[in-house]
Amino acid sequence: MKRLLQTKWISLALLTISFLLIYNPLTKFPYTFCVIIIFILISTYLQNGDLKSLNFKNLKSGDIKIILVSYLVLELSVDFMIQPLVNWLCNEPADYSTFEHIKGDTAQYLKWLYRMWISAAIGEELLFRAFAFAQLKNIFGDKKILIVILSALMFCLPHLYQGTAGLIMTFIFGIAFGFLYIKFKNIWINIIVHGLIDTVFLTLSYLGYIEFYQFIW
């Protein structure tokens, strides 16, 4: 049974279903990702008899330094170098208007913060890194660069509402998160770094500084 579930076609089917669940009409954000998380956990257990392939490893003291350094490098390089460049190349900033209603509204800010940690930090990292990497490895073998690129493409597609610049930025983040996952093989590191980046974004949106992300060189 396990061998059957670990075949390339089954892995492709499981990955396709998990991705399409994002668009299912029966659940709404962020609970859609709760469904996806459950699907991933059940599928992984049925495939392998455990959840080891998702790399839920204990965080050690040294991992805190890794998380902080990774977060700072990503936040500073993307915010001050990559995002302004992408905005300039696209001749328009990423469309983050969806988050403008958070400005000055503490209840909405806290609501989105909780939703973000469920859907983006935990849900997206489980889907687009832990689960996608395991399934893509079954399909293509240990071709790390290809897996990083394919997972980043999957990651950016649900962000079409952010426009071309937003799509490119999400792809770049997908590449960065992919290499972070390959390097340390601990999904908790990815989850926390992702969560910290989105927390800063939501906090700036709440404070009315969302235009910080719309700077063009």
Side-chain angles (χ1 to χ4, degrees), residues 24 63 75 90 102 160 181:
N24 90 81
D63 292 329
E75 190 78 75
C90 295
I102 297 174
L160 282 168
Y181 185 66

Side-chain angles (χ1 to χ4, degrees), residues 33-190:
F33 267 96
C34 293
V35 173
I36 293 172
I37 290 169
I38 292 170
F39 177 81
I40 287 171
L41 295 176
I42 292 173
S43 298
T44 301
Y45 189 82
L46 290 175
Q47 270 188 318
N48 308 313
D50 55 45
L51 301 177
K52 291 180 180 178
S53 65
L54 299 178
N55 285 313
F56 284 111
K57 297 178 180 178
N58 293 329
L59 288 173
K60 301 175 182 178
S61 58
D63 292 329
I64 304 303
K65 181 179 179 181
I66 290 170
I67 289 168
L68 292 175
V69 171
S70 300
Y71 161 70
L72 288 173
V73 169
L74 266 175
E75 190 78 75
L76 295 175
S77 61
V78 170
D79 288 352
F80 294 104
M81 296 174 61
I82 299 175
Q83 178 121 32
L85 176 60
V86 170
N87 291 345
W88 176 72
L89 290 172
C90 295
N91 198 32
E92 64 177 9
D95 183 5
Y96 297 135
S97 58
T98 302
F99 305 95
E100 287 180 351
H101 71 284
I102 297 174
K103 181 179 177 180
D105 190 330
T106 303
Q108 282 295 316
Y109 167 66
L110 294 175
K111 183 178 180 180
W112 275 82
L113 202 58
Y114 134 77
R115 288 177 168 183
M116 177 277 296
W117 276 94
I118 291 176
S119 61
I122 298 174
E124 289 183 353
E125 288 307 313
L126 272 179
L127 173 56
F128 298 115
R129 253 62 66 182
F131 191 65
F133 273 53
Q135 302 310 318
L136 289 170
K137 185 177 181 180
N138 282 344
I139 298 169
F140 297 106
D142 197 25
K143 297 179 180 178
K144 293 183 174 64
I145 302 299
L146 177 62
I147 290 172
V148 168
I149 292 172
L150 290 176
S151 65
L153 284 171
M154 290 177 61
F155 177 56
C156 75
L157 288 177
H159 297 80
L160 282 168
Y161 68 93
Q162 294 178 358
T164 303
L167 202 64
I168 294 172
M169 285 306 306
T170 309
F171 177 76
I172 291 170
F173 268 118
I175 294 291
F177 289 142
F179 281 113
L180 185 68
Y181 185 66
I182 283 177
K183 174 67 176 177
F184 300 109
K185 295 181 175 64
N186 188 336
I187 195 60
W188 288 118
I189 292 177
N190 274 69

